[in-house]
Amino acid sequence: MKSLLAGVLPWLLAAAPAFASDGDRWEIPVAVKKLDNGLTVVVSEDRSSPVVGVSVVYGIGMRLEPRNRTGFAHLFEHLMFEGSENAPEGTFDRVITGGGGRNNGSTRPDFTNYIEVAPSSAIEPILWLEADRMRMLDFNPATLKNQQDVVKEEIRVNVQNQPYGGFMWLDIGFQAFEKWENNHDGYGSFDDLEAATLDDVRAFHRDYYGPNNAVLGLAGDISPEEGFALAEKYFGGIPARPVPPAPDFSEGLNTQEKRLVQADKLAQVPAVAIAWKMPGRGSPDQPAMSVLGALLANGDASRLYQGLVKGRELALTVDGLYGLTSEWEYNGPTLFTVFALYKPDSDGHAIVRAVDEEIARIVAEGVDDATLARTKTALLADWYNGMEPFISRADTLAKLQLLWGDAGVANRIPGWIEAVTSEDVQRAARTYLVASNRTVIDRVPEAQLAARRVDAPQAE
């Protein structure tokens, strides 16, 4: 990660305006300190409200989990709420919600994060609880079995028994990526989940949940001095632990298009997902792809909504997404995906052709100044709005520190966005949004797919 950052970050820094001298721009306070045990602490002081957001982000995610343990990072996210000898099951939620706060956690390809927000008077109990579950967990057969069942039920509810089954972020990755680290089911297979043992769980916590594999983010009614002192008080005594080396999950752009059709028992209308591999994190093309993605599929004013929904009237909806995360929060191969519900009298090929036409227009003509300015303004508004809540600011800064090695990237991203030109957008479109780098899944209601097959011309 450091070698990649060293190679590309100077370009990005040079391309961005100097924020400190720009009085009309919000400079997010960022202070960083690494404790002796390797825990990195990021504090963003903001006294506008007596509230503190907390995030603990660990450098373990779906693409980093061991082979034959698909879904183990996800399973462990659930196990982290099962309590310890000092704070039995239920204590974590009871303390935080009882004090007027809320908490959550999630698993992504490159990290697992745990977030809380509460009145600033509750910060010490929260940090005590987070440090306690970093130090130890109550590993026992009952909690393991319980959470294995919880994760399996989550898969049933969110994938197996849902129309479309998350194919636009789950199945599309199975097809688009080449390496197991990137294309296995990070949600988890039932076989692998059931095969997990207590020894597996203990080893996973030992290997990936040490302080030297984590970033603590604090945002809100707390100063850097207070935050660093509290981090030392509660986390400083937890010893660093060896972390297994990350696997080689790197892979280049695809060189041959992949297309397939899937039947869907629950969907009422067909849908299509069209995904292209993104530039790597820190690439000079990353800001341009963020603008291009917004231009194509961010809201009713986007090119694809206006072209496919309003203009040609082929699609019912059009949305864009960046894998399971955002366009700034990944550390390995990820996808920009366009997802559209379309009318039953059309087909996936027609949607792909229409998308290609809109991309070709950008490549040929570029983007006019007014449209480019509007798109960048919308992106900047989304970025700053996301930084307003203390819980999301703490989380974003912690993730940027983990992935980029520098939480200060938060203050440079707006400049990177503003520096994108029409030529940059054209270059990104002709480099990444090409057929050879594309994976397409056409998801069709089962009855409609059967009718298509009946109506298809027979080979002689």
Side-chain angles (χ1 to χ4, degrees):
M1 179 177 73
K2 290 181 179 178
S3 61
L4 173 64
L5 192 64
V8 299
L9 196 53
W11 181 94
L12 291 169
L13 295 177
F19 285 83
S21 62
D22 195 344
D24 63 353
R25 193 161 318 193
W26 179 26
E27 177 84 7
I28 298 166
V30 177
V32 181
K33 180 180 180 180
K34 179 174 282 192
L35 305 187
D36 290 344
N37 62 3
L39 177 69
T40 303
V41 186
V42 182
V43 181
S44 181
E45 181 177 7
D46 188 329
R47 301 293 186 173
S48 61
S49 177
V51 172
V52 177
V54 179
S55 173
V56 182
V57 181
Y58 292 91
I60 176 61
M62 296 171 180
R63 73 167 114 243
L64 301 169
E65 62 192 5
R67 284 180 177 270
N68 302 318
R69 288 294 179 264
T70 61
F72 210 83
H74 180 207
L75 171 65
F76 209 87
E77 172 210 325
H78 288 260
L79 287 170
M80 282 286 279
F81 289 93
E82 288 300 287
S84 70
E85 294 178 6
N86 298 321
E89 182 181 0
T91 303
F92 198 98
D93 288 336
R94 185 169 60 252
V95 169
I96 293 174
T97 58
R102 56 189 172 89
N103 69 92
N104 208 341
S106 67
T107 309
R108 297 293 184 262
D110 298 301
F111 58 82
T112 303
N113 61 324
Y114 302 89
I115 55 176
E116 299 89 33
V117 64
S120 47
S121 58
I123 185 62
E124 293 209 46
I126 290 175
L127 294 181
W128 182 91
L129 286 165
E130 283 290 6
D132 181 63
R133 65 180 179 177
M134 179 185 285
R135 182 180 286 108
M136 68 176 79
L137 286 178
D138 180 15
F139 301 118
N140 64 73
T143 57
L144 176 57
K145 177 64 167 63
N146 174 264
Q147 292 310 306
Q148 286 168 323
D149 291 343
V150 167
V151 172
K152 288 191 290 184
E153 183 60 21
E154 185 178 322
I155 294 170
R156 293 187 188 100
V157 170
N158 292 342
V159 178
Q160 295 178 350
N161 297 327
Q162 270 298 325
Y164 312 111
F167 85 103
M168 73 295 292
W169 51 264
L170 193 62
D171 294 44
I172 199 78
F174 302 162
Q175 304 299 324
F177 297 121
E178 298 297 327
K179 291 188 175 180
W180 179 90
E181 287 77 11
N182 303 315
N183 70 16
H184 73 273
D185 185 355
Y187 230 148
S189 76
F190 282 17
D191 289 343
D192 283 357
L193 288 170
E194 290 170 353
T197 67
L198 286 177
D199 285 342
D200 292 332
V201 171
R202 293 189 187 96
F204 198 85
H205 187 270
R206 178 199 66 216
D207 290 346
Y208 297 107
Y209 275 76
N212 48 311
N213 197 40
V215 176
L216 168 65
L218 303 170
D221 187 24
I222 188 169
S223 70
E225 294 76 18
E226 292 168 329
F228 297 151
L230 289 173
E232 182 64 46
K233 177 179 179 180
Y234 291 105
F235 293 86
I238 304 174
R241 304 195 285 268
V243 180
D248 178 12
F249 47 71
S250 61
E251 52 182 87
L253 301 183
N254 287 340
T255 57
Q256 184 174 354
E257 182 186 35
K258 302 175 185 178
R259 288 204 193 196
L260 68 154
V261 178
Q262 294 179 337
D264 195 308
K265 296 180 180 179
L266 301 174
Q268 298 299 306
V269 296
V272 65
I274 312 167
W276 301 265
K277 282 185 176 176
M278 284 273 287
R281 180 193 56 76
S283 163
D285 289 332
Q286 189 178 6
M289 268 303 306
S290 75
V291 174
L292 176 57
L295 175 70
L296 285 171
N298 188 4
D300 292 357
S302 67
R303 290 287 182 90
L304 294 181
Y305 186 89
Q306 290 296 315
L308 277 67
V309 179
K310 302 291 286 186
R312 296 171 179 82
E313 297 186 350
L314 295 173
L316 301 169
T317 64
V318 176
D319 291 296
L321 60 150
Y322 296 91
L324 280 171
T325 179
S326 80
E327 62 267 52
W328 304 107
E329 296 171 350
Y330 60 91
N331 200 37
T334 195
L335 302 172
F336 168 62
T337 303
V338 169
F339 165 65
L341 301 178
Y342 66 88
K343 295 183 177 181
D345 59 357
S346 185
D347 61 52
H349 296 295
I351 301 296
V352 173
R353 285 193 299 271
V355 170
D356 280 346
E357 290 172 12
E358 295 297 335
I359 295 170
R361 279 182 55 210
I362 294 172
V363 171
E365 303 169 10
V367 187
D368 64 89
D369 292 344
T371 300
L372 185 62
R374 184 188 70 237
T375 302
K376 293 195 286 189
T377 297
L379 271 178
L380 291 168
D382 288 345
W383 177 255
Y384 287 125
N385 287 339
M387 283 293 188
E388 283 283 357
F390 293 157
I391 189 170
S392 63
R393 191 191 310 180
D395 194 41
T396 298
L397 293 176
K399 288 185 286 191
L400 293 176
Q401 181 66 39
L402 179 80
L403 300 173
W404 291 77
D406 182 7
V409 163
N411 283 321
R412 294 191 282 275
I413 285 173
W416 300 345
I417 292 171
E418 288 193 339
V420 172
T421 66
S422 175
E423 291 75 17
D424 294 331
V425 173
Q426 287 176 292
R427 183 185 67 252
R430 65 173 175 261
T431 302
Y432 302 95
L433 303 193
V434 295
S436 58
N437 188 40
R438 180 171 67 200
T439 302
V440 180
I441 298 180
D442 192 11
R443 188 88 167 211
V444 185
E446 200 169 59
Q448 184 180 337
L449 184 59
R452 278 190 193 178
R453 289 167 177 160
V454 170
D455 294 340
Q458 301 297 310
E460 296 187 6

